Amino acid sequence: MSARRRYVDTALGQLHLVECGAGPPVLFLHQTPRSWHEYAGVLPLVGRRTRAMAMDTIGFGQSARVTDPWSIGLFADGVEALLDALDLPSVTLVGNHTGAVVAVEVAARAAERVSALVLCGMPYVDEARRRRVRAQPPIDHVEPRADGTHLTELWSRRRGFYSPGEERYLTRFVADALEVADRVEEGHVRVNEYRMEDRLPLVRARTLVLCGADDRYSLPDVPILSRLLDCCSVVLADGGVALPEQRPEAFAREVLAFLGHAER
């Protein structure tokens, strides 16, 4: 199934998305500092039963750049602006890491617009985590150097997130990160500033928590998220932070099964 690329005009600027299929709308939200490419292997699979769409979050990929400070609220504004432009009153949101946090914010502020949630690799951000992460070094920021060694530094920092044989995914990661090189760390910072403990109680949508078994950052938070959201969780083997790329078939199968479109 071929993917269709398009732009939509919004008050925030042009937003880029890619879509496959027809049916109930499902919108995929990527992590920082990625783009829709994170779901390139998932869209054709989910698009067999639904209208599967993946957007570039505002400020990322091919979507409009903004000079305002980034925030989870701004990213959620972009999601709602896209839904308005597409005349979609409600949608299933599927987010990975930062994308999952953005999905929570949309569901918390506009419950009527979110029919279901799939939250993959989402950390539980509370004050304890905020204090802990603030003391840690940057994740993706590298200082540009004339000899280009900052490129290999970025590659090396992310090498451990991908198994041997997954270099094509790591290459795509580096390309996405370079698109926002001047603000590459800001998305991570905004996730850690998010008052998730205040927002989760406002979520009313039926929810599934997903995580890769190798995602050491978010796997420990699966039990507390499942409890706070009163929902089921699924942990998939042989995948980590890049789960949608590493296990696209299994990822798509869980999304479709949760939505009642396929058997696990």
Side-chain angles (χ1 to χ4, degrees):
M1 180 179 293
S2 60
R4 302 180 300 277
R5 300 188 184 212
R6 60 186 292 200
Y7 289 88
V8 296
D9 293 320
T10 77
L12 298 173
Q14 285 196 321
L15 299 176
H16 177 251
L17 75 152
V18 179
E19 59 181 299
C20 290
V26 180
L27 179 61
F28 293 84
L29 307 176
H30 61 79
Q31 66 177 302
T32 298
R34 299 301 312 274
S35 72
W36 79 270
H37 284 100
E38 184 167 47
Y39 296 107
V42 173
L43 286 182
L45 302 175
V46 178
R48 294 172 183 168
R49 303 291 186 91
T50 73
R51 180 184 178 184
M53 303 170 286
M55 70 178 293
D56 289 341
T57 300
I58 189 167
F60 293 85
Q62 299 304 304
S63 283
R65 297 291 186 262
V66 291
T67 56
D68 295 341
W70 285 352
S71 68
I72 298 302
L74 174 65
F75 299 155
D77 290 343
V79 173
E80 291 197 76
L82 182 79
L83 298 183
D84 289 341
L86 297 176
D87 196 24
L88 292 173
S90 66
V91 68
T92 292
L93 292 180
V94 181
N96 187 39
H97 280 260
T98 307
V101 180
V102 176
V104 163
E105 177 57 24
V106 177
R109 65 158 72 164
E112 73 284 357
R113 306 208 72 167
V114 181
S115 56
L117 278 175
V118 179
L119 307 175
C120 179
M122 189 175 81
Y124 178 58
V125 183
D126 60 1
E127 186 55 36
R129 185 184 191 275
R130 284 190 283 272
R131 287 196 302 268
R132 183 174 70 253
V133 173
R134 275 196 296 266
Q136 295 175 355
I139 299 172
D140 294 314
H141 175 74
V142 292
E143 289 292 336
R145 304 185 190 95
D147 61 1
T149 54
H150 60 290
L151 303 178
T152 55
E153 181 183 354
L154 178 58
W155 178 281
S156 297
R157 285 195 189 182
R158 285 285 178 165
R159 171 71 269 190
F161 291 85
Y162 297 88
S163 299
E166 295 179 344
E167 288 75 19
R168 66 190 183 281
Y169 304 141
L170 179 53
T171 299
R172 187 65 256 174
F173 174 91
V174 171
D176 282 343
L178 292 176
E179 288 280 353
V180 291
D182 58 326
R183 304 183 74 171
V184 70
E185 200 66 24
E186 194 172 346
H188 300 302
V189 173
R190 301 312 172 214
V191 167
N192 198 54
E193 291 176 347
Y194 186 62
R195 300 281 307 180
M196 186 176 288
E197 65 270 48
D198 297 333
R199 305 304 279 168
L200 284 183
L202 302 178
V203 173
R204 297 291 179 262
R206 189 169 65 95
T207 303
L208 172 67
V209 171
L210 267 181
C211 197
D214 301 328
D215 187 342
R216 65 183 185 275
Y217 295 96
S218 299
L219 185 62
D221 291 338
V222 167
I224 188 171
L225 289 172
S226 299
R227 177 174 60 82
L228 292 174
L229 291 164
D230 190 24
C231 69
C232 295
S233 63
V234 174
V235 175
L236 294 176
D238 302 320
V241 172
L243 185 63
E245 291 176 308
Q246 295 168 317
R247 299 290 313 281
E249 294 86 1
F251 188 94
R253 184 171 62 249
E254 294 297 337
V255 170
L256 288 171
F258 175 64
L259 297 179
H261 295 297
E263 296 291 332
R264 281 198 181 95

